[in-house]
Amino acid sequence: SRLQLSGLCFLLQILTIILFAVFVRYSPESSPSLCSQQLNCSLRNKDSGFQHPRFRDVHLQALLGFGLLVAFLGRYQPGSVAISILVVAFAIQWAVLIQGFLYFFLNGKIYVGAQSMVSADFCTAAILISTGAVLGRVNPVQMLLLTLLGVTLFTLNEYLLLSVMGVSDSGGSLTVHTFGAYFGLMVSRILHQPHMDKRKEQQDTGHQPDFFAVIGTIYLWIFWPSFTSATTVRDNAEPWAVLNTYFSLVASTLATFVLSPVLHEEGTLRMVQIQDATLAGVAVMGMAGEMLITPFGALIAGFLAGLIPPLGFRFLTPVLCSRLKTQDTCGVHNVHGLPGILGALLGMLLTALATADAYGGRLELVFPLVAQGSRTATDQALSQLCALPITLLLATLGGSLTGAILKMKGLRSPPDTRYLENTVLWEVKLGGC
């Protein structure tokens, strides 16, 4: 396993270095309008410069926010963070290349700048969501291959939705949360290991798991509004996304305090449950964040999204595990998948209600095709709705293909291996932390 991991990392890094040397160049500083005039930049809204604070917030969210969120399980604490960093390190490089060929390609070169890096971080976030469904079931070699295929499929789905269909999904309810969750769930289903159902899962002990959840949740609260609004930087479009995300966050957190004491006999609310509610609250605002949802609408959406994780873990997860044989380690279906679908449906409804009188000059920023007269609001809403089954189809088919590849004999871990990611990186004592 050590030799496989070392060799694969070496080959992938050499491959990306060669491709970067041949294709990747800095975006010309003297042509800030290059994106809007010559490159196909429909993926992300244009920005006139490399705003370091914005990129920093998005990158910290992808690296630390998601990285620490998968560290709350006591048996995976050190290894899961290490695997997250490994995934981020490769996913960013591969995403810059794959997305660059579709969106930032001109005269045989890929021009990288602020938006290409933000786009790569969005892609990385989706892959980290996928890894949450298979954490502990695969080894680092399989994680790298999952990243390689996941980035490619993510970019294909995003290109179909945002460029071909003209869908508005700036915060990624569909492209990030829904795709990442169901792609990872399908991989988990294909890699189902019957012996894992019979093994008694090691329970979290001590305060270290909740400590990781505290830090991860704080990062979500601080940086996710910047993450959601990173692609709405033009003119006055950003404040809506920031405010709606915060309103959704607070309401989803209150929803957890409403349901969790009722559903759990111990009555003690764990920090992990607040973390799940926070994720659900931001997932539902991914598409609707920059739309005219109104502050009270954002509170309602966030509250409804916050009800999904407690109900899902209590009633839906056991069914998925026993009937569909889906081993969702970190519960991405409850905190990303279902809230992402809810966010897509909410975005479709708001799109159908969009009018020039309500949006004013913002209509061109949020729905450019409607403002130009190429579509009616109803047509745009139908496009938003059709994007949901397309995303689910690509996620399930891509996850099935990826799972089949990862299940090949030479890549599988021994059936009796425990702490799969830790056995490759370091030893973990069975007695505790």
Side-chain angles (χ1 to χ4, degrees), residues 308-375:
I308 294 176
L311 292 173
F313 282 112
R314 180 67 174 84
F315 301 106
L316 189 57
T317 298
V319 175
L320 292 176
C321 184
S322 61
R323 300 288 180 85
L324 300 181
K325 306 302 180 182
T326 299
Q327 299 164 317
D328 186 3
T329 307
C330 295
V332 298
H333 184 243
N334 301 319
V335 299
H336 294 284
L338 293 179
I341 292 177
L342 178 62
L345 296 176
L346 175 62
M348 181 272 296
L349 176 62
L350 294 174
T351 303
L353 300 175
T355 62
D357 293 337
Y359 279 78
R362 298 175 66 101
L363 185 66
E364 185 177 0
L365 304 178
V366 182
F367 304 112
L369 296 178
V370 176
Q372 296 166 9
S374 302
R375 290 180 179 174

Coordinates of all heavy atoms in Angstrom, one line a residue, residues 308-375:
I308 N -33.8 18.7 8.4 CA -33.5 17.5 7.6 C -32.4 16.6 8.3 O -32.7 15.4 8.4 CB -33.0 17.9 6.2 CG1 -34.2 18.6 5.5 CG2 -32.5 16.7 5.4 CD1 -33.8 19.1 4.1
P309 N -31.3 17.1 8.8 CA -30.3 16.2 9.4 C -30.8 15.4 10.6 O -30.6 14.2 10.6 CB -29.1 17.1 9.7 CG -29.3 18.3 8.8 CD -30.7 18.5 8.6
P310 N -31.4 16.0 11.6 CA -31.9 15.2 12.7 C -32.9 14.1 12.2 O -32.8 13.0 12.7 CB -32.6 16.2 13.6 CG -32.0 17.5 13.2 CD -31.7 17.4 11.8
L311 N -33.9 14.5 11.4 CA -34.8 13.5 10.9 C -34.2 12.5 10.0 O -34.5 11.3 10.1 CB -35.9 14.2 10.1 CG -36.9 15.1 10.9 CD1 -37.8 15.9 10.0 CD2 -37.7 14.3 12.0
G312 N -33.3 12.9 9.2 CA -32.6 11.9 8.3 C -31.8 10.9 9.1 O -31.8 9.7 8.8
F313 N -31.0 11.4 10.0 CA -30.2 10.4 10.8 C -31.0 9.5 11.7 O -30.7 8.3 11.9 CB -29.2 11.2 11.7 CG -28.0 11.7 11.0 CD1 -27.8 13.1 10.8 CD2 -27.0 10.9 10.4 CE1 -26.7 13.6 10.1 CE2 -25.9 11.4 9.7 CZ -25.8 12.7 9.6
R314 N -32.2 10.0 12.1 CA -33.0 9.2 13.0 C -33.8 8.1 12.2 O -34.0 7.0 12.6 CB -34.0 10.1 13.7 CG -34.9 9.4 14.7 CD -34.1 8.7 15.8 NE -35.1 8.2 16.8 CZ -35.6 7.0 16.7 NH1 -35.3 6.2 15.7 NH2 -36.4 6.5 17.7
F315 N -34.3 8.5 11.0 CA -35.3 7.6 10.3 C -34.8 7.1 9.0 O -35.0 6.0 8.6 CB -36.6 8.3 10.1 CG -37.3 8.8 11.4 CD1 -37.3 10.1 11.7 CD2 -37.9 7.8 12.2 CE1 -37.9 10.5 12.9 CE2 -38.5 8.2 13.4 CZ -38.5 9.6 13.8
L316 N -34.0 8.0 8.2 CA -33.7 7.6 6.9 C -32.4 6.8 6.8 O -32.3 5.9 6.0 CB -33.6 8.9 6.0 CG -33.4 8.7 4.5 CD1 -34.6 7.9 3.9 CD2 -33.4 10.1 3.8
T317 N -31.4 7.2 7.5 CA -30.1 6.6 7.4 C -30.2 5.1 7.7 O -29.5 4.3 7.0 CB -29.1 7.2 8.4 OG1 -28.9 8.6 8.0 CG2 -27.7 6.5 8.4
P318 N -30.9 4.6 8.7 CA -31.0 3.1 8.9 C -31.6 2.4 7.8 O -31.2 1.3 7.4 CB -31.9 3.0 10.2 CG -31.7 4.3 10.9 CD -31.5 5.3 9.8
V319 N -32.6 3.1 7.1 CA -33.2 2.4 5.9 C -32.2 2.3 4.8 O -32.1 1.3 4.1 CB -34.4 3.2 5.5 CG1 -35.0 2.7 4.2 CG2 -35.5 3.2 6.6
L320 N -31.4 3.4 4.5 CA -30.4 3.4 3.5 C -29.4 2.3 3.7 O -28.9 1.6 2.8 CB -29.7 4.8 3.3 CG -30.6 5.9 2.8 CD1 -29.8 7.2 2.9 CD2 -31.1 5.6 1.4
C321 N -29.0 2.1 5.0 CA -28.0 1.2 5.3 C -28.5 -0.3 5.2 O -27.8 -1.1 4.7 CB -27.5 1.4 6.7 SG -26.1 0.4 7.3
S322 N -29.7 -0.5 5.7 CA -30.2 -1.9 5.7 C -30.8 -2.3 4.4 O -30.6 -3.5 3.9 CB -31.2 -2.0 6.8 OG -32.3 -1.2 6.5
R323 N -31.5 -1.4 3.7 CA -32.2 -1.8 2.5 C -31.3 -1.6 1.2 O -31.3 -2.4 0.3 CB -33.5 -1.0 2.3 CG -34.5 -1.2 3.5 CD -35.1 -2.5 3.4 NE -36.1 -2.7 4.5 CZ -37.3 -2.3 4.5 NH1 -37.8 -1.7 3.4 NH2 -38.1 -2.5 5.5
L324 N -30.7 -0.4 1.1 CA -29.9 -0.1 -0.1 C -28.5 -0.4 0.1 O -27.7 -0.2 -0.9 CB -30.1 1.4 -0.4 CG -31.5 1.9 -0.7 CD1 -31.6 3.4 -1.0 CD2 -32.2 1.1 -1.8
K325 N -28.0 -0.8 1.3 CA -26.6 -1.2 1.5 C -25.7 0.0 1.2 O -24.6 -0.2 0.6 CB -26.3 -2.4 0.7 CG -27.2 -3.6 0.8 CD -27.2 -4.1 2.3 CE -28.1 -5.3 2.4 NZ -28.2 -5.7 3.8
T326 N -26.1 1.2 1.6 CA -25.3 2.3 1.4 C -24.7 2.7 2.8 O -25.4 3.1 3.7 CB -26.1 3.5 0.9 OG1 -26.7 3.2 -0.4 CG2 -25.2 4.8 0.7
Q327 N -23.3 2.7 2.8 CA -22.6 3.0 4.1 C -22.1 4.4 4.0 O -21.0 4.7 3.5 CB -21.5 2.0 4.3 CG -21.9 0.6 4.4 CD -20.8 -0.4 4.2 OE1 -20.0 -0.3 3.3 NE2 -20.7 -1.5 5.0
D328 N -22.9 5.3 4.5 CA -22.7 6.8 4.5 C -21.9 7.2 5.7 O -22.6 7.5 6.7 CB -24.0 7.5 4.3 CG -23.8 9.0 4.1 OD1 -22.6 9.4 4.0 OD2 -24.8 9.7 3.9
T329 N -20.6 7.2 5.7 CA -19.8 7.3 6.9 C -20.1 8.7 7.6 O -20.4 8.7 8.8 CB -18.3 7.3 6.6 OG1 -18.1 6.1 5.9 CG2 -17.5 7.3 7.9
C330 N -20.1 9.8 6.9 CA -20.3 11.1 7.5 C -21.7 11.7 7.3 O -21.9 12.8 7.6 CB -19.3 12.0 6.9 SG -17.6 11.6 7.3
G331 N -22.6 10.9 6.8 CA -24.0 11.3 6.6 C -24.2 12.4 5.6 O -25.0 13.4 5.8
V332 N -23.5 12.4 4.4 CA -23.5 13.4 3.4 C -24.9 13.5 2.8 O -25.3 14.5 2.3 CB -22.5 13.2 2.3 CG1 -21.1 13.3 2.9 CG2 -22.6 11.9 1.6
H333 N -25.7 12.4 2.8 CA -27.0 12.4 2.2 C -27.9 13.4 3.0 O -28.7 14.1 2.4 CB -27.6 11.0 2.2 CG -28.9 10.9 1.6 ND1 -30.1 10.6 2.3 CD2 -29.3 11.2 0.3 CE1 -31.1 10.6 1.5 NE2 -30.7 10.9 0.3
N334 N -27.8 13.4 4.3 CA -28.6 14.2 5.2 C -28.2 15.7 5.2 O -29.0 16.6 5.3 CB -28.7 13.7 6.6 CG -29.2 12.3 6.6 OD1 -30.2 11.9 5.9 ND2 -28.6 11.4 7.4
V335 N -26.9 15.9 5.2 CA -26.4 17.3 5.3 C -26.1 18.0 4.0 O -25.9 19.2 4.0 CB -25.2 17.3 6.3 CG1 -25.6 16.8 7.7 CG2 -24.0 16.5 5.7
H336 N -25.9 17.3 3.0 CA -25.6 17.9 1.7 C -26.6 17.5 0.6 O -27.1 18.4 -0.1 CB -24.2 17.4 1.2 CG -23.1 17.9 2.0 ND1 -22.7 19.3 2.0 CD2 -22.3 17.3 3.0 CE1 -21.7 19.4 2.8 NE2 -21.4 18.3 3.4
G337 N -26.9 16.2 0.4 CA -27.8 15.8 -0.6 C -29.2 16.3 -0.6 O -29.6 17.0 -1.5
L338 N -29.9 16.0 0.5 CA -31.3 16.4 0.6 C -31.4 17.9 0.7 O -32.3 18.5 0.0 CB -32.0 15.7 1.8 CG -32.2 14.2 1.7 CD1 -32.8 13.6 2.9 CD2 -33.0 13.9 0.5
P339 N -30.6 18.6 1.5 CA -30.7 20.1 1.5 C -30.3 20.7 0.2 O -30.9 21.7 -0.2 CB -29.6 20.5 2.6 CG -29.6 19.3 3.5 CD -29.7 18.1 2.6
G340 N -29.4 20.1 -0.6 CA -29.1 20.6 -1.9 C -30.3 20.5 -2.9 O -30.5 21.4 -3.7
I341 N -31.0 19.3 -2.8 CA -32.2 19.2 -3.6 C -33.3 20.2 -3.2 O -33.9 20.8 -4.1 CB -32.8 17.8 -3.5 CG1 -31.8 16.8 -4.1 CG2 -34.1 17.6 -4.1 CD1 -32.2 15.3 -3.9
L342 N -33.4 20.4 -1.9 CA -34.4 21.5 -1.4 C -34.0 22.8 -2.0 O -34.8 23.6 -2.4 CB -34.4 21.5 0.1 CG -35.3 22.5 0.7 CD1 -36.8 22.3 0.3 CD2 -35.2 22.5 2.3
G343 N -32.7 23.1 -1.9 CA -32.2 24.4 -2.5 C -32.4 24.5 -3.9 O -32.8 25.6 -4.4
A344 N -32.3 23.5 -4.7 CA -32.6 23.5 -6.1 C -34.1 23.8 -6.4 O -34.4 24.6 -7.3 CB -32.2 22.2 -6.8
L345 N -34.9 23.1 -5.7 CA -36.4 23.4 -5.8 C -36.8 24.8 -5.4 O -37.6 25.4 -6.1 CB -37.2 22.4 -5.0 CG -37.0 20.9 -5.4 CD1 -37.8 20.0 -4.5 CD2 -37.5 20.7 -6.8
L346 N -36.1 25.3 -4.4 CA -36.4 26.7 -4.0 C -35.9 27.6 -5.0 O -36.6 28.6 -5.4 CB -35.7 26.9 -2.6 CG -35.7 28.4 -2.1 CD1 -37.2 28.8 -1.8 CD2 -34.9 28.5 -0.9
G347 N -34.7 27.4 -5.6 CA -34.2 28.2 -6.7 C -35.1 28.2 -7.9 O -35.3 29.3 -8.5
M348 N -35.7 27.1 -8.2 CA -36.6 27.0 -9.3 C -37.9 27.8 -9.1 O -38.3 28.6 -10.0 CB -37.0 25.5 -9.6 CG -37.9 25.3 -10.7 SD -39.7 25.4 -10.3 CE -39.8 24.0 -9.1
L349 N -38.4 27.8 -7.9 CA -39.6 28.6 -7.5 C -39.3 30.1 -7.6 O -40.1 30.8 -8.2 CB -40.1 28.2 -6.1 CG -41.2 29.0 -5.6 CD1 -42.5 28.8 -6.4 CD2 -41.5 28.6 -4.1
L350 N -38.2 30.5 -7.1 CA -37.8 31.9 -7.1 C -37.6 32.4 -8.5 O -37.8 33.6 -8.8 CB -36.6 32.2 -6.2 CG -36.8 31.9 -4.7 CD1 -35.4 32.0 -4.0 CD2 -37.8 32.9 -4.1
T351 N -37.0 31.5 -9.3 CA -36.8 31.9 -10.7 C -38.1 32.1 -11.5 O -38.2 33.1 -12.3 CB -36.0 30.8 -11.4 OG1 -34.7 30.6 -10.8 CG2 -35.7 31.2 -12.9
A352 N -39.1 31.3 -11.2 CA -40.4 31.5 -11.9 C -41.0 32.8 -11.5 O -41.8 33.3 -12.2 CB -41.3 30.3 -11.6
L353 N -40.7 33.3 -10.3 CA -41.3 34.5 -9.8 C -40.5 35.7 -10.1 O -40.9 36.8 -9.7 CB -41.5 34.4 -8.3 CG -42.4 33.2 -7.8 CD1 -42.4 33.2 -6.2 CD2 -43.8 33.4 -8.3
A354 N -39.4 35.6 -10.8 CA -38.5 36.7 -11.0 C -39.1 37.7 -12.1 O -39.6 37.2 -13.1 CB -37.2 36.2 -11.5
T355 N -39.1 38.9 -11.8 CA -39.6 40.0 -12.7 C -38.6 41.1 -12.7 O -37.9 41.3 -11.8 CB -41.0 40.5 -12.2 OG1 -40.9 41.1 -10.9 CG2 -42.0 39.4 -12.2
A356 N -38.7 41.9 -13.8 CA -37.8 43.0 -14.0 C -38.1 44.1 -12.9 O -37.2 44.8 -12.5 CB -37.9 43.6 -15.4
D357 N -39.4 44.2 -12.6 CA -39.8 45.2 -11.6 C -39.2 44.9 -10.2 O -38.7 45.8 -9.5 CB -41.3 45.3 -11.5 CG -41.9 45.9 -12.7 OD1 -41.2 46.6 -13.5 OD2 -43.1 45.6 -13.0
A358 N -39.2 43.6 -9.8 CA -38.7 43.2 -8.5 C -37.1 43.3 -8.5 O -36.6 43.7 -7.4 CB -39.1 41.8 -8.2
Y359 N -36.5 42.9 -9.5 CA -35.0 42.8 -9.5 C -34.3 44.1 -10.0 O -33.2 44.3 -9.6 CB -34.5 41.6 -10.4 CG -34.6 40.3 -9.7 CD1 -35.8 39.6 -9.6 CD2 -33.5 39.6 -9.2 CE1 -35.9 38.4 -9.0 CE2 -33.6 38.4 -8.6 CZ -34.8 37.8 -8.5 OH -34.9 36.5 -7.8
G360 N -35.0 44.8 -10.8 CA -34.3 46.0 -11.4 C -33.1 45.7 -12.2 O -33.1 44.7 -13.0
G361 N -32.0 46.4 -11.9 CA -30.8 46.1 -12.6 C -30.1 44.8 -12.3 O -29.2 44.3 -13.0
R362 N -30.5 44.2 -11.2 CA -29.9 43.0 -10.8 C -30.4 41.8 -11.6 O -29.7 40.7 -11.6 CB -30.3 42.7 -9.3 CG -29.8 43.7 -8.3 CD -30.3 43.4 -6.9 NE -29.7 42.1 -6.4 CZ -28.7 42.1 -5.5 NH1 -28.2 43.2 -5.1 NH2 -28.3 40.9 -5.1
L363 N -31.5 42.0 -12.4 CA -31.9 40.8 -13.2 C -30.9 40.4 -14.2 O -30.8 39.2 -14.4 CB -33.2 41.3 -13.9 CG -33.9 40.2 -14.7 CD1 -34.5 39.1 -13.7 CD2 -35.1 40.7 -15.5
E364 N -30.1 41.3 -14.7 CA -29.1 40.9 -15.7 C -28.0 40.2 -15.0 O -27.3 39.4 -15.7 CB -28.6 42.2 -16.4 CG -27.6 41.9 -17.5 CD -27.1 43.1 -18.3 OE1 -27.6 44.2 -17.9 OE2 -26.3 43.0 -19.2
L365 N -27.7 40.5 -13.8 CA -26.7 39.8 -13.1 C -27.0 38.4 -12.7 O -26.2 37.5 -12.7 CB -26.3 40.6 -11.8 CG -25.9 42.1 -12.0 CD1 -25.6 42.7 -10.7 CD2 -24.7 42.2 -12.9
V366 N -28.3 38.2 -12.3 CA -28.7 36.9 -11.8 C -29.2 36.0 -12.9 O -28.9 34.8 -13.0 CB -29.8 37.0 -10.7 CG1 -30.2 35.7 -10.1 CG2 -29.3 37.9 -9.5
F367 N -30.1 36.6 -13.8 CA -30.6 35.8 -14.9 C -30.4 36.6 -16.2 O -31.3 37.3 -16.7 CB -32.1 35.7 -14.7 CG -32.5 35.0 -13.4 CD1 -33.2 35.7 -12.5 CD2 -32.2 33.7 -13.2 CE1 -33.6 35.1 -11.3 CE2 -32.6 33.0 -12.0 CZ -33.3 33.7 -11.1
P368 N -29.2 36.6 -16.7 CA -28.8 37.3 -17.9 C -29.7 37.0 -19.1 O -30.0 37.9 -19.9 CB -27.3 37.0 -18.1 CG -27.1 35.8 -17.4 CD -28.0 35.8 -16.2
L369 N -30.0 35.7 -19.3 CA -30.8 35.3 -20.5 C -32.2 35.9 -20.4 O -32.8 36.2 -21.4 CB -30.8 33.8 -20.6 CG -29.5 33.1 -20.9 CD1 -29.7 31.6 -20.9 CD2 -28.9 33.6 -22.2
V370 N -32.8 36.0 -19.2 CA -34.1 36.6 -19.0 C -34.0 38.1 -19.3 O -34.9 38.6 -20.0 CB -34.6 36.3 -17.6 CG1 -36.0 37.0 -17.4 CG2 -34.8 34.8 -17.4
A371 N -33.0 38.7 -18.8 CA -32.9 40.2 -19.0 C -32.7 40.5 -20.5 O -33.2 41.5 -20.9 CB -31.7 40.7 -18.2
Q372 N -32.0 39.6 -21.2 CA -31.8 39.9 -22.6 C -32.9 39.5 -23.5 O -32.9 39.8 -24.7 CB -30.5 39.1 -23.1 CG -29.2 39.5 -22.4 CD -28.1 38.4 -22.6 OE1 -28.3 37.5 -23.4 NE2 -27.0 38.6 -21.9
G373 N -33.9 38.9 -22.9 CA -35.1 38.5 -23.7 C -35.0 37.2 -24.4 O -35.9 36.8 -25.1
S374 N -33.9 36.5 -24.2 CA -33.8 35.2 -24.8 C -34.7 34.1 -24.2 O -35.0 33.1 -24.8 CB -32.3 34.7 -24.7 OG -31.4 35.6 -25.3
R375 N -35.0 34.3 -22.9 CA -35.9 33.4 -22.2 C -36.9 34.2 -21.4 O -36.7 35.3 -21.0 CB -35.1 32.5 -21.3 CG -34.3 31.4 -21.9 CD -33.6 30.6 -20.9 NE -32.7 29.6 -21.4 CZ -31.9 28.8 -20.7 NH1 -31.8 28.9 -19.4 NH2 -31.1 27.9 -21.3

